[in-house]
Amino acid sequence: MKLSRYFLPVLKDISSDAKIKSHQLMLRIGMIRQSSAGIYSWLPLGYKILKKIEKVVREEQDKSGAIEMLMPTIQSSDIWRESGRYESYGEEMLRFKDRQDRELLYGPTNEELITQLFRDNIKSYKSLPLMLYHIQWKFRDEIRPRFGIMRCREFLMKDTYSFDLSKEDAQKSYFRMMLCYLKTFQKLELKAIPTKAETGPIGGDLSHEFIILADTGESEIFLDKNILNFDPSNLKYSENSFLEISNHYSKYYSATTEMHDKDKFEKITTKKSQMIKKGIEVGHIFYFGQKYSKPLNAIVNSKDGKNVNVYMGSYGIGVSRLVGAVIEAKYNNNIMKWPKSITPFHVAIINLGKKNDSISKKAFKLYDELLKNNFEVIIDDTENNPSNKFKNFDLIGIPFQIIVGSKNKDEEFEFKELGKDTKVVKIKELINILEKEYKIVK
Ligand code: ATP
Ligand code: MG
């Protein structure tokens, strides 16, 4: 991509409404623009990152055994009346009518719709266990949208639903998804802490929020430091792993303000291991048993011929909120560095030459070579002054930069990983480094 042909409207001044660094950065480097309160357009750079996060989330869902589908954004009020949530969901639900006067709503979540699909299509225990997910836009008419895409009204969510024949099986699905979430956040280079949570309007009796520590977070979290020492990367999806996870996260304390029990906290943690931090909720998982399968009559035939209301759970990740959460976690001292798994481009070429001079020609030759080798490359071919170019690319956050100026010999380039020292490399070495970093196989 040539920067001169891209749509990347960088701002010098941003609105004072942008209070936190992710909101400020996303506006400054042209990732998003607000179209009305709490509703945003995703410009090319922001959309590229959003799509990459979605891809990581999807890959990990698929590995866990969940199956992707797509439900609509617009739902009928009928099934919400059946579950009893049409009235109880409150003002956050956007309700409207079509020309036939039918009551519709913009889905804030999908428990009802998925339960209806299950009820109408699955009758036997032989189809269980089943996990279905989709990645779809949601609308919640938040009373106070704020912090950009962190708390907005229209947002992208991945939601998974599990169906099992018994409570025991459903709890295994719950921990399967918990492991999947731990792996997903690890891929995004985030440390997300599962924290016991209230079940809210979704209901049920087992629930964890996944919280990322960040000073600008809206949740306060009380925890035992030891809870952070858990590495899910080598765990397979097995009952042993589920047990290991369950043991670890029930052994060490973590709670948000709503669930915090001061006496218990003092009792089971030491002064040295106590932490009180701010955090961002990036995911939330629920086991709610038969809460929806009973009113909506989602029944399967068990092996011994009995009718059983299916046991369910639901599991959400705020895909669009994660874009902001990653920035909150990774953006410091005017340098943003995207995790390699979601960087918008693999590498940036900062061309310090003028149009068609020998430096520019050298930069474009490198650009072509990198494209040929399957890298996603952006080249700054604008007439901006060098210090502006450097400043912008530190904010855009592509982890690797190649600076093409007059300093180096013809076949040599200045190469730098953001936040580290520059080194001089030849093109072969450059390609090798990038291939290793991104594990690109030809
Ligand atoms: P919160 O407590 O932040 O309002 P919630 O508990 O209402 O969120 P869930 O129903 O658990 O949200 O939704 C699953 C995930 O969707 C959340 O963990 C969060 O990451 C994301 N999410 C929820 N509401 C919003 C919003 N208004 N804007 C952006 N993302 C959101
Ligand atoms: Mg929640």
Side-chain angles (χ1 to χ4, degrees):
M1 177 57 60
K2 293 174 190 155
L3 185 59
S4 64
R5 312 304 328 135
Y6 204 41
F7 178 41
L8 191 106
V10 174
L11 292 178
K12 280 208 184 74
D13 300 306
I14 43 173
S15 143
S16 59
D17 294 345
K19 300 273 189 264
I20 61 173
K21 57 185 179 180
S22 57
H23 191 190
Q24 292 163 354
L25 185 73
M26 290 179 83
L27 291 174
R28 170 154 291 143
I29 60 173
M31 289 176 67
I32 51 166
R33 289 291 182 263
Q34 179 169 295
S35 72
S36 59
I39 301 180
Y40 288 85
S41 295
W42 289 79
L43 307 194
L45 185 74
Y47 190 52
K48 222 167 187 301
I49 294 162
L50 181 68
K51 283 284 181 198
K52 292 219 169 171
I53 293 183
E54 187 182 326
K55 182 164 176 267
V56 170
V57 170
R58 175 177 291 116
E59 281 168 1
E60 291 305 315
Q61 286 292 305
D62 293 348
K63 282 187 204 157
S64 81
I67 305 165
E68 188 171 15
M69 59 179 296
L70 185 62
M71 288 176 270
T73 51
I74 310 285
Q75 304 181 23
S76 153
S77 65
D78 296 348
I79 34 164
W80 286 77
R81 289 196 195 280
E82 274 186 60
S83 75
R85 278 210 294 184
Y86 190 62
E87 303 306 332
S88 68
Y89 206 93
E91 304 246 63
E92 276 190 16
M93 185 191 279
L94 179 65
R95 300 160 164 91
F96 49 92
K97 286 187 178 162
D98 67 10
R99 61 167 80 190
Q100 311 321 338
D101 227 24
R102 281 184 293 240
E103 286 175 318
L104 299 173
L105 57 101
Y106 196 124
T109 178
N110 281 63
E111 281 79 11
E112 281 74 1
L113 200 51
I114 195 88
T115 310
Q116 184 189 38
L117 281 168
F118 182 93
R119 162 184 90 186
D120 295 347
N121 294 286
I122 289 185
K123 306 287 174 207
S124 160
Y125 72 93
K126 288 181 193 152
S127 305
L128 301 183
L130 181 66
M131 273 202 186
L132 296 169
Y133 77 96
H134 75 160
I135 301 176
Q136 179 61 292
W137 293 90
K138 306 287 187 287
F139 193 94
R140 296 184 185 174
D141 201 356
E142 297 272 353
I143 185 158
R144 215 156 68 82
R146 58 192 179 280
F147 307 143
I149 49 79
M150 295 280 241
R151 180 167 302 283
C152 50
R153 298 199 295 167
E154 190 185 47
F155 59 96
L156 189 61
M157 194 207 282
K158 184 285 303 167
D159 36 328
T160 309
Y161 302 88
S162 64
F163 302 90
D164 285 279
L165 192 62
S166 65
K167 187 169 178 177
E168 295 69 48
D169 287 350
Q171 289 185 345
K172 281 179 209 154
S173 295
Y174 183 90
F175 286 106
R176 172 178 291 273
M177 209 27 70
M178 190 147 159
L179 175 55
C180 177
Y181 276 33
L182 292 169
K183 286 177 183 282
T184 305
F185 296 125
Q186 192 178 45
K187 273 261 167 72
L188 297 171
E189 295 178 23
L190 295 172
K191 193 96 199 167
I193 308 153
T195 301
K196 268 223 168 297
E198 280 187 309
T199 50
I202 291 186
D205 51 23
L206 179 59
S207 173
H208 285 88
E209 287 175 352
F210 284 75
I211 309 273
I212 281 164
L213 300 182
D215 294 338
T216 45
E218 287 188 282
S219 316
E220 187 162 46
I221 162 165
F222 300 80
L223 63 145
D224 182 330
K225 248 195 230 157
N226 293 304
I227 205 165
L228 298 167
N229 303 327
F230 190 82
D231 180 5
S233 52
N234 291 322
L235 290 186
K236 302 256 176 327
Y237 287 98
S238 69
E239 286 190 27
N240 280 344
S241 307
F242 303 156
L243 205 64
E244 203 177 311
I245 295 173
S246 161
N247 286 343
H248 181 81
Y249 289 104
S250 45
K251 183 167 166 198
Y252 297 111
Y253 190 93
S254 73
T256 51
T257 317
E258 302 85 52
M259 298 292 279
H260 181 49
D261 175 344
K262 192 165 175 277
D263 295 337
K264 188 172 168 200
F265 186 51
E266 301 285 330
K267 206 164 134 203
I268 69 167
T269 57
T270 62
K271 274 264 163 315
K272 251 178 120 181
S273 73
Q274 287 173 3
M275 276 169 87
I276 304 174
K277 292 269 179 191
K278 289 264 190 244
I280 302 164
E281 180 194 321
V282 287
H284 199 160
I285 59 179
F286 303 87
Y287 162 70
F288 46 72
Q290 298 169 312
K291 182 178 154 85
Y292 298 95
S293 65
K294 277 197 169 152
L296 291 171
N297 268 325
I299 291 168
V300 285
N301 245 303
S302 71
K303 208 171 185 172
D304 46 12
K306 285 197 187 107
N307 282 340
V308 180
N309 284 100
V310 72
Y311 291 81
M312 294 174 60
S314 75
Y315 315 86
I317 289 185
V319 177
S320 49
R321 180 180 284 182
L322 268 171
V323 179
V326 171
I327 296 174
E328 291 299 326
K330 306 281 172 199
Y331 175 36
N332 285 309
N333 302 326
N334 291 319
I335 295 184
M336 172 63 201
K337 188 177 180 185
W338 292 102
K340 279 177 246 159
S341 55
I342 58 168
T343 177
F345 295 93
H346 292 137
V347 57
I349 301 174
I350 303 178
N351 170 26
L352 302 180
K354 295 258 178 317
K355 213 173 182 177
N356 288 329
D357 70 2
S358 62
I359 296 171
S360 261
K361 282 190 181 134
K362 179 180 167 185
F364 269 102
K365 206 170 144 209
L366 173 68
Y367 174 68
D368 290 338
E369 191 65 26
L370 290 173
L371 286 181
K372 244 201 283 168
N373 282 275
N374 297 328
F375 293 107
E376 292 178 274
V377 198
I378 186 161
I379 181 164
D380 188 341
D381 57 339
T382 64
E383 303 284 316
N384 290 344
N385 71 43
S387 74
N388 257 338
K389 291 189 177 186
F390 291 128
K391 222 161 96 193
N392 283 344
F393 273 96
D394 280 353
L395 296 176
I396 293 168
I398 297 156
F400 300 99
Q401 300 180 344
I402 304 161
I403 299 127
V404 186
S406 55
K407 263 208 293 198
N408 302 101
K409 290 192 212 139
D410 239 11
E411 67 282 10
E412 289 179 342
F413 299 93
E414 250 181 87
F415 176 75
K416 148 170 157 183
E417 176 167 357
L418 269 183
K420 297 194 177 158
D421 290 338
T422 310
K423 56 181 172 181
V424 175
V425 290
K426 295 204 165 126
I427 188 148
K428 255 217 157 111
E429 193 185 349
L430 186 67
I431 289 175
N432 274 340
I433 297 174
L434 291 172
E435 275 175 357
K436 248 198 220 128
E437 291 288 351
Y438 290 108
K439 298 193 184 73
I440 286 184
V441 265
K442 278 191 279 179

